[in-house]
Amino acid sequence: MNNRQLFLQHLAQTTDFPLLIEIEKAEGVYIYGPEGEKYLDLISGIGVSNIGHRHPRVLSAVHDQMDKYLHLMVYGEYVQSPQAQLAKALCDTLPSSLDNVYLVNSGSEAVEGALKLAKRFTGKAKLVSCENAYHGSSHGALSVGGNEIFKRAYRPLLPGVTNIAYNDISSLEAIDEDTAAVLVETIQGEAGIRVGSADWFQALRKKCNDTGTLLILDEIQCGFGRTGKFWAFEHFGIVPDIVVCAKGMGGGMPIGAFISNKEVMSVFKNNPLLGHITTFGGHPVSAAASLATIQVLKDEKLIAQVDEKANLFKTLLVHPEIKSIRNKGLMMAVEFDSFAILKPVIDRAIELGVITDWFLFCDNSMRIAPPLTISKEEIREACSTILRAIEEVKSLEV
C-alpha cells in the first residue's frame, strides 16, 4: 500500500474529504510533494509556521538539544535549561504582571490549564466566553467554544458557561461577581478575523476588575507577531490576568503555555499539590525551538514588517468577486459571497500551487495567514495565483 492508502486505511479521519496533498519536504514559505509539486503555504499550517517552515535557527536549536537530552521527567520537577530560558524570554515580551509560565503541549491544553487556574484562584465556577469563539477541541475548551454546531453532539459539557457577543459592550452585563473568568480570543480567528474595538476591550477589562473576574486572552492564533505586535492585546491598551499561546510559538514544534503572575499560579502548589500536571509539557526540544523562534522574530525584525506586507495583500487582491478584506496584520479574511463561490477558488488555487483555506465559522471567507517571512515577491506570486484561480473558476460557470 502506498502512503495515501495507508493514510486512508489507518489514520483516523475527521472528514470524508481530506485534502490528500502528499508532502515530501517543506522550506520557508513552500511545501513540496513527492513528484516535485510546489505549493506556496498561505496558511502556515493554520497559524503555526510564523517564521516559515524549517527555519535554520530552529533546526539548529532542535539538533543541539537532541544531542543533550530528550524527555527526562514530568513537568516542574527537574531544572531544565530550555524550559527556564524560554520562560524568561516569554516574560520579557510581556508586561511585568505576567511573570509566571506554565508550559504545555498545545493551545487546547493551555486553555484547559487556564480555566482550571481561574476557577481554583477565584473559588468561582461561572465562565464567560464569546459567540463564534474557538478555543480548542478538548472537553473543557469545547465547552467554552461559541458555536453550537461543534458542541451539540458532545453535550453535556461543562456547566455554568455563558456566551456573549464579541465587541458588544452591552453584553458585558453577563459578567458578575460569580464569574471566575472571561475567556476571549483577542482577535477572533475561526469567526473570520473579527477585531474588537479598544473601547470594548477596555470596558471588558474594567468589568472584570469590578467583579473580581480573571480576564483570559486567547492568543493561540494571534500571538507571536501575527498582528504586527508580539501580542495582539498590545493594540488595545489592556493587560490580561492570564494569556494563553501555542501555534506560532514553537517554530513548527508542538508547544503551548498559559501565563499569569506568580501569586495566581501558586494555587497549583497546594490543596491539592500538583494541581495541574503534564508529562510532556515543556518538552526540552520544543522549548529550545520556541526560544529560537522568539529570537528569530526579534533579530530578523519580522514583526515590524507585518503591516507593510498585509497592505500589499490588500492592494493586490482586488476583484469583483472579493467583497471585503478583514485583517489585523497578517491575520486576514478575504470575503466572497458564499462558500459555493469560495470553495472552487480555494481548490483551483491549490492546483495552481497556492494553499489557502476557509474558517470554521465563516465559510465564505478565505484564510490568509502566511509565514511572516514571506517576501513581497512571494506575496505578488500568491495574489496573482489567487486572482487567476478566481478567473478560471468564473470561466467554468459561463
Side-chain angles (χ1 to χ4, degrees):
M1 297 177 76
N2 62 31
N3 285 333
R4 180 171 298 212
Q5 292 168 322
L6 292 172
F7 173 94
L8 293 169
Q9 182 70 24
H10 295 296
L11 277 175
Q13 304 293 299
T14 56
T15 73
D16 289 322
F17 45 89
L19 285 173
L20 287 176
I21 301 171
E22 191 168 348
I23 304 302
E24 185 77 14
K25 184 181 177 181
E27 192 91 43
V29 300
Y30 293 100
I31 58 179
Y32 301 88
E35 303 300 322
E37 306 94 330
K38 182 180 179 182
Y39 305 94
L40 202 163
D41 183 4
L42 276 193
I43 55 175
S44 304
I46 312 297
V48 168
S49 302
N50 280 17
I51 61 169
H53 296 283
R54 299 179 67 248
H55 193 285
R57 289 179 64 177
V58 171
L59 295 184
S60 177
V62 166
H63 292 155
D64 287 349
Q65 184 55 44
M66 286 172 60
D67 286 339
K68 295 173 183 174
Y69 54 84
L70 302 179
H71 175 75
L72 299 175
M73 180 58 165
V74 297
Y75 178 85
E77 297 297 331
Y78 292 172
V79 177
Q80 300 179 51
S81 176
Q83 294 180 351
Q85 295 297 321
L86 173 58
K88 173 62 165 60
L90 285 167
C91 292
D92 285 347
T93 70
L94 287 159
S96 60
S97 59
L98 294 167
D99 64 358
N100 216 243
V101 178
Y102 196 117
L103 297 170
V104 291
N105 302 284
S106 68
S108 197
E109 287 181 61
V111 168
E112 298 284 351
L115 295 176
K116 283 179 63 179
L117 181 63
K119 292 170 75 172
R120 176 69 181 85
F121 182 77
T122 63
K124 305 174 188 179
K126 180 178 173 182
L127 300 168
V128 172
S129 56
C130 288
E131 296 165 2
N132 284 328
Y134 181 78
H135 298 292
S137 196
S138 54
H139 191 268
L142 184 63
S143 299
V144 291
N147 187 286
E148 185 60 27
I149 292 171
F150 277 74
K151 297 164 71 168
R152 64 169 64 114
Y154 302 100
R155 290 194 177 279
L157 294 165
L158 285 182
V161 175
T162 300
N163 288 144
I164 64 173
Y166 178 85
N167 201 33
D168 178 358
I169 288 180
S170 66
S171 71
L172 301 181
E173 292 305 312
I175 304 164
D176 59 25
E177 285 76 10
D178 295 323
T179 308
V182 180
L183 173 62
V184 175
E185 294 169 278
T186 314
I187 311 294
Q188 283 201 309
E190 297 309 320
I193 315 305
R194 309 294 172 173
V195 184
S197 69
D199 286 347
W200 183 74
F201 275 108
Q202 288 162 19
L204 171 62
R205 177 69 274 181
K206 184 177 187 302
K207 187 68 171 180
C208 289
N209 291 346
D210 292 347
T211 56
T213 299
L214 296 188
L215 175 58
I216 306 171
L217 290 184
D218 178 340
E219 299 247 351
I220 292 166
Q221 283 198 50
C222 60
F224 280 74
R226 180 143 298 280
T227 68
K229 302 279 190 184
F230 196 99
W231 302 102
F233 68 77
E234 297 175 55
H235 293 286
F236 304 108
I238 63 164
V239 177
D241 299 296
I242 305 172
V243 63
V244 298
C245 53
K247 285 190 180 289
M249 176 180 180
M253 293 294 288
I255 191 168
F258 56 102
I259 306 168
S260 188
N261 65 59
K262 201 160 189 174
E263 178 191 3
V264 172
M265 203 74 82
S266 68
V267 299
F268 279 155
K269 296 192 293 186
N270 299 289
N271 193 28
L273 56 79
L274 301 174
H276 193 66
I277 306 170
T278 172
T279 297
F280 292 112
H283 191 283
V285 175
S286 292
S290 183
L291 180 59
T293 297
I294 293 173
Q295 292 166 342
V296 167
L297 287 170
K298 291 181 175 179
D299 293 348
E300 297 188 10
K301 297 181 172 52
L302 294 174
I303 299 173
Q305 303 169 31
V306 164
D307 285 340
E308 183 181 7
K309 292 175 179 179
N311 287 335
L312 183 56
F313 271 107
K314 293 167 75 173
T315 298
L316 296 173
L317 285 177
V318 176
H319 191 281
E321 295 293 335
I322 295 174
K323 304 309 174 185
S324 67
I325 298 178
R326 296 181 300 276
N327 79 296
K328 197 68 172 174
L330 284 171
M331 193 175 181
M332 313 184 79
V334 181
E335 184 173 327
F336 292 74
D337 269 337
S338 67
F339 182 71
I341 295 170
L342 172 61
K343 181 59 164 64
V345 172
I346 289 173
D347 291 344
R348 183 57 184 146
I350 291 173
E351 291 171 354
L352 294 171
V354 169
I355 295 177
T356 67
D357 198 3
W358 66 93
F359 298 89
L360 288 178
F361 313 143
C362 185
D363 67 5
N364 71 331
S365 294
M366 176 186 288
R367 183 195 307 266
I368 293 182
L372 308 187
T373 55
I374 192 169
S375 69
K376 292 178 183 178
E377 181 180 349
E378 289 160 346
I379 292 171
R380 292 187 182 96
E381 173 191 346
C383 292
S384 175
T385 301
I386 291 169
L387 295 174
R388 176 183 166 190
I390 295 172
E391 284 298 318
E392 291 187 7
V393 168
K394 278 186 61 183
S395 71
L396 294 175
E397 296 173 354
V398 176

